[in-house]
Amino acid sequence: MSNADLMDRIVSLCKRRGFIFQSSEIYGGLANAWDYGPLGSELKRNVKNAWWRCVVHSRDDMVGLDAAILMHPDTWKASGHAENFTDLLVDDKETKKRYRYDHLTEEERAKVGTRYTEPREFNLMLRTQLGAVGDTSAEVYLRPETAQGIFVNFKNVLDSTSRRLPFGIAQIGKSFRNEITAGNFVFRMREFEQMEIEYFTTAEDSEACHERWIQERFQWYLDLGIRADNLKLRPHGEDELAHYAKGCTDVEYRFPFGWAELEGIANRTDYDLKQHAELSGKDLRYHDKITNERYFPYVIEPSGGVDRATLAFLADAYHEEEVEGRPRVVLKLHRDLAPTKVAVLPLLKKNADIVAMAKNIKSDLLKSVTCVYDDTAAIGKLYRRQDEVGTFYCVTVDVESLEDKQVTVRDRDTMQQQRIAVDQLKNFINDKFSH
Ligand code: GAP
């Protein structure tokens, strides 16, 4: 299958089975805006929960934050976004389309001035108005990164938690960028979600700390099942570094459309805190109460995209196989990510006792995992339906189950089946999905 075909099949599965829909589709859609459906919202939530569990709950040097999307406009002056968060844009005079200059090939760049207009700077921040219309003082931006919400709250977090260096603040939330060319499904959108960490440490520790975070973030994707040969690290060249960064390494994934950035891990130095201290006039230095020193900590920033990670997990999990001469599409999602952990399927839907037993099992399992009941097709079709959306186990209730109080548990990936006593089932399932 070609890569373009693979992408088409993923997009089509996402729509057909309720993972991702085009935004406002009934009105013809809004370009590059996407909505997560019933299964997609579960998957995306699982991605965020896995991240939060890994970077906040399982560490003692991290805390969380949930800052507002709208921030004081001075934030973006201090951060440099008002001035520097720009892309070079060119217009194609023939097609009237707009392109990022850095996305043009050498050949296309040679046509700048003839076919393409001269490149001009375009700020990517989305602007809106607060309160009464017409008052320019009420003009604000939709944040282009969640990071600044962390920097402006650095002092609040320090004062309210008595943290000592090194420690980090994690945040998940929406960001907005007026991308000149968006595309590739949820890979590049104008409204998207980020998972960001600002990890505060000393200047002396910053290089080693940067390296540790690069390794930890790379491992996170592997631990959640991404195949190692689809993942790589790419250090940035000097010319690609953001205006605030001293160094940056991307975790890249081999998407069907090519290698591309999943997450960037940057050394932001003490740039942001210094800038905010200067513009706000507030002392944002860290006070080491033991040595009595005051200084601006260095910041290591692992910054990933929820939507890109979700797309990578989907693409990596997508498999087409042939089983007994028939095609099978299966999403081999990691157990933490699978939107539905268990489907309970009655073998004979006309048998009221089987149906009642299956529904009881489902109600019981629902207390601890996501679980569905389905009796709307023959068992072979029900299995395929669940495989296609990555359901981890199918539990089948049959006539023998009424006698021996056992059910058949089928593993999604191996398709192997085992009989398990109903009174052991909950433990079996909970063991599999507990942390
Ligand atoms: N605070 C640093 C920062 O925002 P970035 O490399 O511009 O750095 C971080 O963005 C991550 O956010 C990217 O690695 C990507 O996963 C995600 N991201 C950025 N722009 C995006 C877009 N237009 N659509 C979807 N995800 C995006």
Side-chain angles (χ1 to χ4, degrees), residues 21-24 29-35 185 189-191:
F21 307 126
Q22 190 175 19
S23 161
S24 347
L30 179 69
N32 306 304
W34 299 92
D35 298 338
F185 202 25
M189 298 187 287
R190 299 196 170 100
E191 171 184 346

Side-chain angles (χ1 to χ4, degrees), residues 85 144-147 177 179 186-190 192-194 196 198 244 261-264 268 301 303-308:
F85 198 55
E145 60 170 14
T146 64
R177 295 181 190 178
E179 300 277 3
V186 295
F187 179 81
R188 195 183 304 284
M189 298 187 287
R190 299 196 170 100
F192 56 97
E193 230 172 328
Q194 290 186 306
E196 297 202 294
E198 307 305 323
Y244 49 74
E261 174 188 345
L262 261 184
E263 168 161 353
R268 280 183 93 125
E301 178 194 65
S303 169
V306 179
D307 310 274
R308 282 191 192 177

Side-chain angles (χ1 to χ4, degrees), residues 103-123:
H103 284 181
L104 296 185
T105 61
E106 279 302 315
E107 207 179 316
E108 287 165 335
R109 281 186 196 186
K111 294 182 191 157
V112 163
T114 52
R115 175 163 177 168
Y116 298 103
T117 56
E118 290 297 329
R120 59 188 190 281
E121 289 203 332
F122 174 77
N123 194 296

Side-chain angles (χ1 to χ4, degrees), residues 53-337:
R53 199 162 42 240
C54 175
V55 306
V56 181
H57 286 171
S58 62
R59 302 175 62 117
D60 54 14
D61 58 348
M62 293 283 304
V63 291
L65 187 80
D66 189 356
I69 288 171
L70 301 176
M71 302 179 68
H72 193 288
D74 283 354
T75 307
W76 310 111
K77 283 189 197 153
S79 70
H81 284 80
E83 199 181 334
N84 301 316
F85 198 55
T86 53
D87 274 342
L88 283 177
L89 147 97
V90 294
D91 286 310
D92 182 332
K93 294 180 193 165
E94 284 175 24
T95 64
K96 309 287 175 219
K97 284 192 176 160
R98 288 197 157 157
Y99 296 98
R100 267 170 65 169
Y101 178 72
D102 62 333
H103 284 181
L104 296 185
T105 61
E106 279 302 315
E107 207 179 316
E108 287 165 335
R109 281 186 196 186
K111 294 182 191 157
V112 163
T114 52
R115 175 163 177 168
Y116 298 103
T117 56
E118 290 297 329
R120 59 188 190 281
E121 289 203 332
F122 174 77
N123 194 296
L124 299 182
M125 284 200 293
L126 275 146
R127 216 173 299 177
T128 191
Q129 203 86 24
L130 285 186
V133 181
D135 176 2
T136 50
S137 66
E139 200 168 83
V140 292
Y141 296 103
L142 304 186
R143 66 181 177 198
E145 60 170 14
T146 64
Q148 298 304 324
I150 297 180
F151 293 125
V152 300
N153 277 296
F154 173 66
K155 199 94 183 107
N156 284 335
V157 173
L158 267 186
D159 292 347
S160 57
T161 63
S162 324
R163 287 272 154 181
R164 287 185 46 88
L165 247 51
F167 78 97
I169 305 177
Q171 169 160 237
I172 299 177
K174 289 265 173 138
S175 291
F176 301 80
R177 295 181 190 178
N178 207 356
E179 300 277 3
I180 297 165
T181 45
N184 278 329
F185 202 25
V186 295
F187 179 81
R188 195 183 304 284
M189 298 187 287
R190 299 196 170 100
E191 171 184 346
F192 56 97
E193 230 172 328
Q194 290 186 306
M195 316 183 270
E196 297 202 294
I197 296 167
E198 307 305 323
Y199 195 83
F200 302 92
T201 188
T202 57
E204 299 73 52
D205 178 47
S206 64
E207 300 279 325
C209 183
H210 190 192
E211 194 47 42
R212 284 196 296 278
W213 272 111
I214 292 169
Q215 298 309 328
E216 284 186 36
R217 294 305 307 140
F218 191 78
Q219 190 60 40
W220 184 75
Y221 293 98
L222 291 176
D223 290 347
L224 285 173
I226 298 267
R227 282 166 284 174
D229 53 352
N230 284 340
L231 215 52
K232 72 175 182 196
L233 289 171
R234 191 184 67 82
H236 280 207
E238 286 283 325
D239 55 335
E240 334 168 50
L241 289 176
H243 61 273
Y244 49 74
K246 182 178 169 202
C248 184
T249 293
D250 286 346
V251 178
E252 289 196 343
Y253 178 71
R254 195 206 307 258
F255 287 97
F257 45 84
W259 286 99
E261 174 188 345
L262 261 184
E263 168 161 353
I265 301 114
N267 180 345
R268 280 183 93 125
T269 69
D270 52 5
Y271 175 85
D272 299 88
L273 287 177
K274 269 188 173 160
Q275 290 284 109
H276 286 301
E278 197 177 317
L279 196 66
S280 68
K282 301 283 182 316
D283 185 359
L284 299 182
R285 288 173 303 165
Y286 171 72
H287 179 203
D288 187 326
K289 292 189 179 103
I290 295 173
T291 62
N292 210 23
E293 282 175 290
R294 286 177 197 271
Y295 55 91
F296 289 104
Y298 264 46
V299 173
I300 303 304
E301 178 194 65
S303 169
V306 179
D307 310 274
R308 282 191 192 177
T310 303
L311 180 59
F313 288 125
L314 274 170
D316 218 71
Y318 185 92
H319 286 79
E320 289 185 9
E321 301 174 349
E322 201 177 286
V323 178
E324 291 163 5
R326 297 179 57 196
R328 168 172 106 120
V329 172
V330 52
L331 273 190
K332 296 187 177 176
L333 288 166
H334 186 277
R335 63 176 193 279
D336 289 351
L337 301 182

Side-chain angles (χ1 to χ4, degrees), residues 414-426:
T414 63
M415 290 183 290
Q416 279 178 354
Q417 306 191 356
Q418 55 179 313
R419 292 290 279 181
I420 293 186
V422 175
D423 60 6
Q424 295 299 314
L425 183 65
K426 208 166 162 189

